[in-house]
Amino acid sequence: MLSGGGARAAYHVGFLRATARLFPNLIIPYVTGVSAGAINAAHLASHHGRFIQAIEELSHLWGHLTVEDVFRTDMRTLAGNVVRWASQLISGGVPSTTRLVRGMVDTDPLRSYLNDTLHAVGGKLTGVRYNIERGRLKAVAISTSSYTTGQAITWVQGRGIETWERPHRGARETALTVEHVMASTAIPLFFPAVQLDNGWHGDGSVRLTAPLSPAVHLGARRIIAISTRYQRTDEEADSPEVLGYPPPAQVAGAIMNSIFLDMLDNDAVELQRLNTLLFELSPERWHGLRPLKLLVLRPSVDLGRLASDYEPQLPRAFRFLLRGLGTRATNSPDLLSFILFQPDYLRALMEIGERDALARADEIRAFILGPAA
């Protein structure tokens, strides 16, 4: 299960890189991703080669990714979007001849980049079908948030899949495309929503209150969940990140943390509680439930604090706008860490992910080779 976090998803790649060194021919039957994790999930599910080959290519892609590959950063485009936002805010709802602004940035570069790197044919991820037909993959799931209905939708491609419906979330079987990945990665307000079927969809983390649920519904018995949240000590958690009134960047960072990072932690706690309860009951009293083994991996370094070291390398116009939001006024610019698609920062995250995974190599090896719960 590959979580969200924007640019932080490069941390996933570091973990996967270490895992590929341990298991170069590993086959993962179920792959699920949300937000930026959907990019990595789509790559893993559609790659034709061995696991280690897929990870080497993914590592190369993230290691050379730039802000310009994700969205337009020229002053004219950024300023135009700011002006349209301002005009929309002061219009009082009066119809305007000005084109409706759909996001702070234009993400067409990312769409082109994904079509190329995922080897899409007519926008379709044909590699997913190839791997399913050859038995190398059972199913892949990518989650989005429907702004049209307010539901979390998980788009699933696999063989013999049973979709599900739960309050405010459900699954739809489909042939996955680049547009599904674009929708799942559409950070609220920053990136424009994407039209899928008859509705507009944005970042999957917004409404997915149970990030582990797609893997559970698909049939996984063991789940490796890669988080991008650093587990702070009590002392670190109580330490102020900003002095005085919090700037917009601090507020936005707190909101993004609650959307992209908190849900996985909460879901993991609930799963462990359910496991404890089930193990205290006899199997005939499980009523269709089953214990699941879960391994959660997370950064040993605060990725938000780390981001401030790489901020000066951002394109000048974009850096200017971010500083206007107050990214330099906080000790932990979490907002910046979500959108810092800078090669040096991304490579640092991959190195941290690889180092963290190797530090737990024995635990990871035992989890993969051991029995299901």
Side-chain angles (χ1 to χ4, degrees), residues 5-17:
R8 293 183 182 212
Y11 178 82
H12 299 164
V13 184
F15 163 78
L16 294 170
R17 199 159 62 187

Side-chain angles (χ1 to χ4, degrees), residues 212-369:
L212 299 174
S213 63
V216 175
H217 283 295
L218 292 177
R221 301 296 299 274
R222 287 174 289 178
I223 302 174
I224 296 178
I226 310 176
S227 172
T228 57
R229 174 191 279 283
Y230 167 69
Q231 192 72 41
R232 295 181 178 179
T233 64
D234 291 341
E235 182 179 354
E236 289 173 325
D238 292 335
S239 178
E241 296 177 353
V242 62
L243 299 177
Y245 193 83
Q250 180 68 19
V251 176
I255 293 173
M256 285 191 168
N257 281 340
S258 68
I259 292 174
F260 295 106
L261 308 180
D262 290 353
M263 293 301 180
L264 176 57
D265 289 340
N266 294 338
D267 206 19
V269 169
E270 291 302 316
L271 178 58
Q272 299 290 22
R273 286 176 177 170
L274 182 59
N275 278 341
T276 301
L277 176 62
L278 291 176
F279 284 130
E280 292 178 353
L281 300 173
S282 58
E284 59 269 18
R285 298 180 63 187
W286 288 355
H287 301 292
L289 299 175
R290 66 181 189 276
L292 293 169
K293 292 183 70 174
L294 174 66
L295 178 62
V296 179
L297 297 112
R298 60 181 73 253
S300 60
V301 174
D302 188 331
L303 305 186
R305 290 180 180 272
L306 182 66
S308 60
D309 295 339
Y310 298 89
E311 183 262 1
Q313 281 73 49
L314 280 170
R316 187 174 183 178
F318 189 58
R319 184 176 70 240
F320 178 81
L321 290 176
L322 288 176
R323 289 183 177 181
L325 294 175
T327 53
R328 302 282 283 184
T330 173
N331 293 327
S332 183
D334 289 324
L335 170 64
L336 180 63
S337 70
F338 286 97
I339 53 179
L340 190 61
F341 296 96
Q342 281 294 109
D344 46 1
Y345 178 63
L346 301 177
R347 290 174 191 144
L349 298 191
M350 287 190 286
E351 290 170 3
I352 294 169
E354 186 171 15
R355 185 174 68 236
D356 291 347
L358 291 176
R360 299 177 65 179
D362 291 341
E363 185 180 0
I364 293 169
R365 187 182 289 108
F367 186 88
I368 292 176
L369 296 177

Side-chain angles (χ1 to χ4, degrees), residues 76-338:
R76 180 178 180 181
T77 300
L78 293 174
N81 284 339
V82 170
V83 170
R84 281 190 289 272
W85 269 111
S87 299
Q88 202 166 309
L89 286 172
I90 65 175
S91 68
V94 176
S96 172
T97 57
T98 304
R99 179 169 60 89
L100 180 67
V101 62
R102 295 179 175 178
M104 288 187 65
V105 295
D106 180 348
T107 54
D108 275 344
L110 178 60
R111 179 175 284 105
S112 299
Y113 188 82
L114 291 178
N115 269 289
D116 182 38
T117 58
L118 296 177
H119 310 291
V121 178
K124 294 183 179 180
L125 305 182
T126 55
V128 172
R129 180 180 176 182
Y130 177 91
N131 287 331
I132 291 173
E133 289 177 344
R134 280 152 183 77
R136 298 172 54 184
L137 177 72
K138 291 185 178 180
V140 56
I142 291 175
S143 298
T144 66
S145 299
S146 172
Y147 294 146
T148 304
T149 66
Q151 295 177 304
I153 304 296
T154 298
W155 306 89
V156 183
Q157 185 171 352
R159 178 173 289 176
I161 297 300
E162 292 185 11
T163 57
W164 60 90
E165 293 292 337
R166 296 291 185 272
H168 308 299
R169 56 187 172 91
R172 305 288 185 270
E173 193 167 2
T174 189
L176 291 172
T177 68
V178 168
E179 292 306 292
H180 291 97
V181 181
M182 287 292 297
S184 187
T185 61
I187 299 174
L189 299 180
F190 277 91
F191 292 3
V194 177
Q195 191 168 20
L196 299 174
D197 290 350
N198 295 321
W200 290 92
H201 293 250
D203 199 296
S205 297
V206 174
R207 293 293 293 170
L208 189 61
T209 55
L212 299 174
S213 63
V216 175
H217 283 295
L218 292 177
R221 301 296 299 274
R222 287 174 289 178
I223 302 174
I224 296 178
I226 310 176
S227 172
T228 57
R229 174 191 279 283
Y230 167 69
Q231 192 72 41
R232 295 181 178 179
T233 64
D234 291 341
E235 182 179 354
E236 289 173 325
D238 292 335
S239 178
E241 296 177 353
V242 62
L243 299 177
Y245 193 83
Q250 180 68 19
V251 176
I255 293 173
M256 285 191 168
N257 281 340
S258 68
I259 292 174
F260 295 106
L261 308 180
D262 290 353
M263 293 301 180
L264 176 57
D265 289 340
N266 294 338
D267 206 19
V269 169
E270 291 302 316
L271 178 58
Q272 299 290 22
R273 286 176 177 170
L274 182 59
N275 278 341
T276 301
L277 176 62
L278 291 176
F279 284 130
E280 292 178 353
L281 300 173
S282 58
E284 59 269 18
R285 298 180 63 187
W286 288 355
H287 301 292
L289 299 175
R290 66 181 189 276
L292 293 169
K293 292 183 70 174
L294 174 66
L295 178 62
V296 179
L297 297 112
R298 60 181 73 253
S300 60
V301 174
D302 188 331
L303 305 186
R305 290 180 180 272
L306 182 66
S308 60
D309 295 339
Y310 298 89
E311 183 262 1
Q313 281 73 49
L314 280 170
R316 187 174 183 178
F318 189 58
R319 184 176 70 240
F320 178 81
L321 290 176
L322 288 176
R323 289 183 177 181
L325 294 175
T327 53
R328 302 282 283 184
T330 173
N331 293 327
S332 183
D334 289 324
L335 170 64
L336 180 63
S337 70
F338 286 97

